[in-house]
Amino acid sequence: MKKTKFLILRFSSIGDIVLTTPVARCLKLQYPNAEVHFATKKQFRVLLENNPYIDKILLLEKSLNEFIKDLQSEDYDYIIDLHNNLRTSIIKFKLPAKSFSFDKLNFKKWLLVNLKINQMPDIHIVDRYLKTVESLGVKNDNRGLDYFIPEKDNILLENTKPFVAYAIGGQHFTKKLPTHKIIEICKNIDSNIILLGGKEDFEIGEQIQKNIGDKVINACGKYNLNQSASLLQQANYVISHDTGLMHIAAALKKSIISIWGNTVPSFGMYPYLTKYQIIENNDISCRPCSKIGFKKCPKGHFKCMEDLEVNDLKI
């Protein structure tokens, strides 16, 4: 029987791509003879290359026109556009396949950010992604997110007592707790703590370790993404800002303390199908000030993070 070829489009970023994995899995397992391809940027290949539900990854490395020529040669039956921006609109226009596009609800997000009018549906973004393929007879299997760690990247910690993983990074300043607040949290944790993040988070990790002492291990910038995921998997629980490692932790079914700054869970991107606790400041009127984040607080006070009560976080 002829394969039915699907092309999923999602070019960035870490968390967003992990949140699309149920669509790939449900298509592969539920649609007869489905062949699932996924188009993304080169730097995000690691998120998908070990996923058994994705048959081929196509990487945007050259010009869009050259990339489209490569896509045209694949002769797709359906395009599942989970990014829905100018680039994906051009791809859909140039390819003859029937397309299904994710509704980003940009106007409702604008209302929430600019007028603080919340008309966002009370539904997780994963369920909204899956609505994109609902007309194909594909349903949510309620198995959550996927993240597959290759054997070579499994980190075996020797002589390490039970620990909490704290993902201290974030793509934007306004999504991250100030260092002194992170130190406050760490002081109240009885077990060992492993700090996770990129190379850009290393110096902050050193400050935290210096203030707290030997129970803190600064792993920021020392491991690749799969290795960091391996550490998340071994943690008793995970503390994270609104960032990609939070969604990887959810894929690994970890209990999560999820800390929010200028963005809000109402956008639909809180931890999915795992135990979690949301920590946010609902006592100020300026949240959310962005659907993404800023390099600094637009009002200069950063109360969404500075005024958070973090003394007794438990899950």
Side-chain angles (χ1 to χ4, degrees):
M1 187 182 291
K2 181 182 180 292
K3 294 277 189 181
T4 301
K5 293 182 75 172
F6 292 90
L7 173 64
I8 297 174
L9 302 174
R10 183 71 220 194
F11 290 100
S12 62
S13 50
I14 292 173
D16 300 283
I17 292 170
V18 173
L19 288 165
T20 67
T21 55
V23 176
R25 181 185 66 243
C26 291
L27 275 174
K28 184 67 178 175
L29 296 181
Q30 296 178 29
Y31 198 93
N33 285 328
E35 183 175 326
V36 178
H37 293 193
F38 201 112
T40 193
K41 292 180 181 177
K42 182 179 179 179
Q43 62 263 42
F44 301 116
R45 178 177 186 159
V46 64
L47 301 169
L48 305 168
E49 61 187 353
N50 301 293
N51 190 321
Y53 306 115
I54 296 172
D55 298 291
K56 185 174 182 178
I57 301 169
L58 299 107
L59 302 176
L60 179 61
E61 300 180 83
K62 38 198 173 182
S63 74
L64 183 59
N65 283 335
E66 289 178 291
F67 186 63
I68 288 172
K69 286 180 182 178
D70 292 341
L71 297 179
Q72 287 170 334
S73 69
E74 293 285 350
D75 192 24
Y76 290 110
D77 296 290
Y78 297 107
I79 298 170
I80 312 301
D81 182 4
L82 302 181
H83 207 136
N84 200 2
N85 62 5
L86 178 59
R87 179 191 287 123
T88 63
S89 295
I90 294 170
I91 291 171
K92 288 181 291 187
F93 179 74
K94 295 279 189 175
L95 269 60
K98 184 175 182 180
S99 63
F100 300 85
S101 301
F102 170 65
D103 185 354
K104 296 171 81 169
L105 304 179
N106 280 337
F107 180 65
K108 291 182 179 180
K109 289 178 185 175
W110 184 91
L111 285 175
L112 184 52
V113 169
N114 293 282
L115 302 180
K116 306 300 180 276
I117 297 172
N118 188 1
Q119 293 189 350
M120 294 292 294
D122 186 17
I123 179 173
H124 198 281
I125 195 168
V126 170
D127 298 296
R128 289 172 47 215
Y129 279 147
L130 281 160
K131 280 187 176 294
T132 310
V133 293
E134 194 174 54
S135 63
L136 294 167
V138 175
K139 297 179 180 179
N140 191 348
D141 60 10
N142 292 310
R143 286 168 50 183
L145 309 177
D146 284 326
Y147 194 90
F148 299 93
I149 305 168
E151 188 64 34
K152 65 181 177 66
D153 285 327
N154 276 319
I155 301 293
L156 297 177
L157 297 174
E158 296 181 5
N159 304 318
T160 301
K161 297 176 182 178
F163 67 92
V164 173
Y166 192 156
I168 65 170
Q171 194 172 3
H172 301 277
F173 171 84
T174 51
K175 283 188 167 187
K176 298 185 288 186
L177 269 177
T179 304
H180 70 93
K181 300 289 280 190
I182 298 176
I183 291 169
E184 191 178 334
I185 289 174
C186 292
K187 283 181 177 178
N188 288 302
I189 295 174
D190 292 332
S191 63
N192 287 354
I193 304 162
I194 294 184
L195 305 177
L196 296 175
K199 292 179 181 178
E200 67 279 6
D201 303 307
F202 177 78
E203 289 302 326
I204 290 175
E206 289 294 280
Q207 291 179 46
I208 297 165
Q209 198 277 332
K210 185 177 179 180
N211 272 272
I212 301 297
D214 291 341
K215 78 172 183 179
V216 170
I217 299 170
N218 180 17
C220 295
K222 296 180 180 179
Y223 297 103
N224 66 32
L225 192 60
N226 283 332
Q227 292 167 338
S228 295
S230 176
L231 293 173
L232 289 176
Q233 194 170 47
Q234 297 173 66
N236 279 5
Y237 63 91
V238 175
I239 304 172
S240 180
H241 305 138
D242 171 23
T243 188
L245 283 178
M246 178 184 77
H247 298 298
I248 292 175
L252 299 171
K253 304 296 185 288
K254 304 306 296 184
S255 297
I256 300 168
I257 295 175
S258 177
I259 300 172
W260 294 69
N262 78 292
T263 55
V264 292
S266 298
F267 289 137
M269 300 179 74
Y270 44 90
Y272 188 66
L273 292 188
T274 196
K275 184 179 179 182
Y276 68 91
Q277 178 189 4
I278 296 290
I279 307 297
E280 61 179 330
N281 186 349
N282 288 316
D283 295 328
I284 53 175
S285 60
C286 52
R287 287 181 72 235
C289 60
S290 165
K291 63 180 182 181
I292 302 173
F294 292 113
K295 293 181 179 179
K296 62 180 182 179
C297 171
K299 292 188 176 293
H301 54 61
F302 203 26
K303 287 184 177 180
C304 61
M305 286 299 202
E306 290 287 0
D307 290 356
L308 269 184
E309 178 54 58
V310 296
N311 281 326
D312 191 26
L313 303 188
K314 291 181 181 178
I315 188 136

